Amino acid sequence: MVLGGESADGTGRALSGKDAAMDGALSALYGVGKERGGGTARSAGLGASAPSVARWLGDIRTYFPSTVVQVMQRDAIDRLGLSALLLEPEMLEAVEADVHLVGTLLSLNKVMPETTRETARAVVRKVVQDIEKRLATRTRATLTGALDRSARISRPRHRDIDWDRTIRANLKNYLPEHGTVVPERLIGYGRATRSVKKEVVLCIDQSGSMAASVVYASVFGAVLASMRSIATRLVVFDTAVVDLTDQLDDPVDVLFGTQLGGGTDINRALSYCQSRITRPADAVVVLISDLYEGGIRDEMLKRVAAMKASGVQFVALLALSDEGAPAYDREHAAALAALGAPAFACTPDLFPEVMAAAIEKRPIPVPDKDLPGTRLM
């Protein structure tokens, strides 16, 4: 479909009805440049008026699917500088909520008036609940299986024997004359389900470019914290380090405890995380950062090497989002890969498998199209 302007952009056909309304909504945002044949400037027409923006938001929700609406909203914020209007409750009620809008709201958190805060929390909570609904059940199931497998023991008590795996492991000892298998090697589960099996530390860069990653990591942190067998710690950082572990029962509180933007000191954050690990051989540290280090690079790498030498499973996620490859520090990614610490962008759907592999101490499932400077470990 081709939608035109006043001169139908050379198509020779005028627009009317719904087509004209769609073209008007698009023109208000993207209509920049000279009209063909008319010579008049065609510029974005939303202005800075909250009522006109609210009407425009209603129009695009009428004419376009939600995925397109979300893209147009992001473009309107970026191209037309509408962030300030999101501080008005009426505007927040009109937008199509998604993870990127949540990131924008979090960046405005410190300047948000009290009249807007509750509306903003409701918007953020809706997005968080949608993400949890999509990811929580599969995450718990995947990690429960990984925890069970990591707890298998070779000399189990009778009540702890995993008979299916024991039989498969001893098929070579089948005695046809007796119609039975002699179980020379027993495989079973430990009784650790009543206690903590693993420590997981999520260390999250809260620089502005990591907004979507912060949202997803907070949700996953809450899901992990709900599992009794995992002691979960969530740490966010810029040049300072903030431990939000005591807020993990509500990811919305976690998100409003972050402060997007500012500098980055990965070394300081990892130092804090390292100091909180009590059982390195049973610990997984997930650094979620674009690796643009503002602190001491060599110390950061030494700290990662020390953690790995102590038995910690270390993973660096350049992004935890649906957006694909982010901008990141390739030199630091390559240095981490050389230490045996995989560094790659990860989608939320892949994250449970990444965590399961780290818990079981098996190769991390790096995506096939992994980033330059990274490799499968």
Side-chain angles (χ1 to χ4, degrees), residues 29-30 46 53 56-57 60-61 65-84 86 91 94-105 127 208-209 211-212 216 321-324:
L29 177 57
Y30 301 112
L46 292 180
V53 175
W56 178 79
L57 287 169
I60 64 174
R61 292 176 75 169
S66 62
T67 52
V68 175
V69 170
Q70 290 167 9
V71 172
M72 294 179 71
Q73 286 177 172
R74 294 200 297 273
D75 287 348
I77 292 170
D78 293 340
R79 291 165 61 95
L80 306 179
L82 301 181
S83 295
L86 292 176
M91 285 294 299
V95 297
E96 186 81 21
D98 69 344
V99 68
H100 300 284
L101 177 65
V102 169
T104 301
L105 291 177
V127 174
S209 61
Y216 281 116
S321 69
D322 295 303
E323 312 316 309

Side-chain angles (χ1 to χ4, degrees), residues 4-346:
E6 294 176 3
S7 305
D9 282 348
T11 64
R13 295 182 179 276
L15 299 176
S16 61
K18 181 179 178 180
D19 290 341
M22 291 174 67
D23 182 67
L26 290 167
S27 297
L29 177 57
Y30 301 112
V32 180
K34 295 287 185 179
E35 280 286 2
R36 293 183 185 178
T40 58
R42 186 181 178 194
S43 60
L46 292 180
S49 163
S52 66
V53 175
R55 284 195 297 272
W56 178 79
L57 287 169
D59 287 344
I60 64 174
R61 292 176 75 169
T62 298
Y63 300 124
F64 303 100
S66 62
T67 52
V68 175
V69 170
Q70 290 167 9
V71 172
M72 294 179 71
Q73 286 177 172
R74 294 200 297 273
D75 287 348
I77 292 170
D78 293 340
R79 291 165 61 95
L80 306 179
L82 301 181
S83 295
L85 292 180
L86 292 176
L87 300 179
E88 301 184 20
E90 297 79 7
M91 285 294 299
L92 281 181
E93 292 170 356
V95 297
E96 186 81 21
D98 69 344
V99 68
H100 300 284
L101 177 65
V102 169
T104 301
L105 291 177
L106 296 179
S107 69
L108 298 171
N109 184 27
K110 301 304 179 185
V111 297
M112 191 176 290
E114 204 58 41
T115 53
T116 306
R117 194 170 297 278
E118 284 308 309
T119 305
R121 287 184 69 90
V123 170
V124 172
R125 188 169 298 282
K126 178 181 183 303
V127 174
V128 165
Q129 288 174 342
D130 289 345
I131 294 173
E132 276 190 303
K133 189 181 301 182
R134 175 163 67 94
L135 299 172
T137 300
R138 177 167 164 263
T139 299
R140 290 192 186 97
T142 301
L143 297 189
T144 297
L147 289 164
D148 286 343
R149 288 188 292 273
S150 70
R152 286 197 178 104
I153 55 178
S154 58
R155 300 174 67 181
R157 299 175 184 177
H158 183 272
R159 65 173 179 261
D160 296 331
I161 296 174
D162 180 347
W163 287 108
D164 286 342
R165 289 183 62 86
T166 294
I167 291 171
R168 287 199 296 271
N170 290 277
L171 286 177
K172 63 181 180 180
N173 301 320
Y174 177 67
L175 301 178
E177 64 273 20
H178 297 288
T180 189
V181 171
V182 178
E184 288 184 348
R185 184 164 69 93
L186 298 177
I187 299 175
Y189 299 104
R191 305 298 292 175
T193 52
R194 298 176 184 174
S195 61
V196 172
K197 294 181 184 179
K198 296 289 181 180
E199 296 180 31
V200 173
V201 181
L202 300 179
C203 185
I204 309 168
D205 183 344
Q206 58 179 351
S207 58
S209 61
M210 302 297 293
S213 299
V214 171
V215 176
Y216 281 116
S218 299
V219 173
F220 278 120
V223 173
L224 295 177
S226 71
M227 302 178 67
R228 290 182 299 174
S229 297
I230 299 177
T232 305
R233 184 173 296 276
L234 189 143
V235 175
V236 298
F237 68 93
D238 41 34
T239 53
V241 180
V242 180
D243 192 327
L244 297 175
T245 302
D246 60 351
Q247 299 178 37
L248 273 174
D249 58 331
D250 188 345
V252 176
D253 286 342
V254 170
L255 288 170
F256 277 93
T258 64
Q259 184 173 344
L260 292 175
T264 308
D265 192 336
I266 301 173
N267 178 56
R268 174 178 289 186
L270 292 181
S271 174
Y272 176 84
C273 294
Q274 186 180 25
S275 71
R276 294 301 185 270
I277 295 172
T278 60
R279 296 184 299 160
D282 294 320
V284 178
V285 173
V286 182
L287 171 65
I288 303 172
S289 172
D290 54 17
L291 301 181
Y292 287 111
E293 171 65 315
I296 306 172
R297 174 186 185 274
D298 290 341
E299 288 299 314
M300 176 191 77
L301 296 175
K302 287 179 182 178
R303 201 168 298 283
V304 173
M307 281 193 277
K308 286 187 62 62
S310 69
V312 173
Q313 298 295 300
F314 189 94
V315 181
L317 301 183
L318 305 171
L320 178 56
S321 69
D322 295 303
E323 312 316 309
Y328 68 101
D329 190 306
R330 292 173 180 267
E331 184 179 350
H332 286 165
L336 287 174
L339 292 174
F344 58 97
C346 179

